[in-house]
Amino acid sequence: MAVRDILLMGDARLLRTAQPVTQFDSDELHLLISDLLDTMLAADGAGLAAPQIGVDLQVVIFGTNARNPRYPDAPPVPKTVLINPIIMPLVASLQDLTPVEVEDWEGCLSVPGLRGLVPRYAHLRYSGFDQYGDPFERTVEGFHARVVQHECDHLIGKLYPMRVRDFTKFGYTSVFFPEL
Ligand code: NI
């Protein structure tokens, strides 16, 4: 168990497409998840992906039980270990087959001190495995859906600034949210 260094934007290891996990319930995997949790908690993060600590595997963790000082208005998201994830955007109705997108503010522990307004799918279903290799699936919306998309983006080498459309809404947390 250890708090690991978080890689910062510009590091080429954040731009890789992560490898799927093939061995579940191993000492190595449990240690990785323990390190991810320790590192996320130490940084008050809402989520963390293995590539952010330099590990090239499709493993993310996320969750906010108590009020998170980095996201004080966010509703709680269950503590989750998600491995080899698949995300499926859901359409709002069969009349309109375009998945609904919503914009909201995001930050990232690999992009410290900054926030940006990022479009994400509003409703989605995601599936994957826990650390024991047990499959699970959830249908979510809102902040939970946003966190999943943000973390899974780390597994395909995408950081949220690459998703920002309106760069007038990308800048320093201290300017946009001086209370944080
Ligand atoms: Ni991030």
Side-chain angles (χ1 to χ4, degrees):
M1 286 171 284
V3 174
R4 305 268 295 263
D5 287 339
I6 297 175
L7 304 185
L8 298 178
M9 183 168 65
D11 193 306
R13 288 172 288 178
L14 289 170
L15 303 177
R16 295 184 291 198
T17 298
Q19 301 301 307
V21 169
T22 53
Q23 293 271 71
F24 291 91
D25 201 15
S26 67
D27 290 348
E28 198 177 24
L29 185 58
H30 290 303
L31 186 64
L32 168 62
I33 287 157
S34 168
D35 283 359
L36 283 169
L37 275 169
D38 289 347
T39 306
M40 181 179 84
L41 288 175
D44 287 326
L48 193 65
Q52 291 180 277
I53 59 168
V55 176
D56 189 27
L57 287 173
Q58 293 180 23
V59 178
V60 303
I61 64 164
F62 52 85
T64 51
N65 289 341
R67 186 174 178 276
N68 184 306
R70 279 170 52 84
Y71 299 95
D73 299 325
V77 175
K79 281 266 190 307
T80 302
V81 173
L82 176 61
I83 298 173
N84 299 351
I86 293 174
I87 288 180
M88 296 152 278
L90 299 176
V91 296
S93 87
L94 292 176
Q95 309 303 318
D96 180 357
L97 297 178
T98 311
V100 177
E101 284 185 349
V102 285
E103 289 197 310
D104 208 346
W105 293 90
E106 294 186 17
C108 179
L109 297 175
S110 293
V111 191
L114 296 167
R115 294 286 167 115
L117 200 59
V118 184
R120 299 286 187 188
Y121 295 124
H123 307 276
L124 58 86
R125 184 168 298 143
Y126 67 94
S127 64
F129 300 85
D130 68 12
Q131 60 269 51
Y132 304 100
D134 292 324
F136 67 99
E137 178 180 286
R138 285 184 185 145
T139 302
V140 298
E141 58 184 13
F143 186 66
H144 190 154
R146 178 167 297 276
V147 168
V148 171
Q149 290 170 88
H150 176 115
E151 296 312 326
C152 291
D153 259 359
H154 281 295
L155 305 181
I156 56 168
K158 284 227 183 288
L159 299 168
Y160 83 80
M162 301 172 184
R163 302 278 191 198
V164 169
R165 287 183 188 145
D166 176 0
F167 282 94
T168 70
K169 298 294 189 297
F170 177 56
Y172 290 95
T173 311
S174 57
V175 176
F176 285 121
F177 301 101
E179 70 280 10
L180 291 184

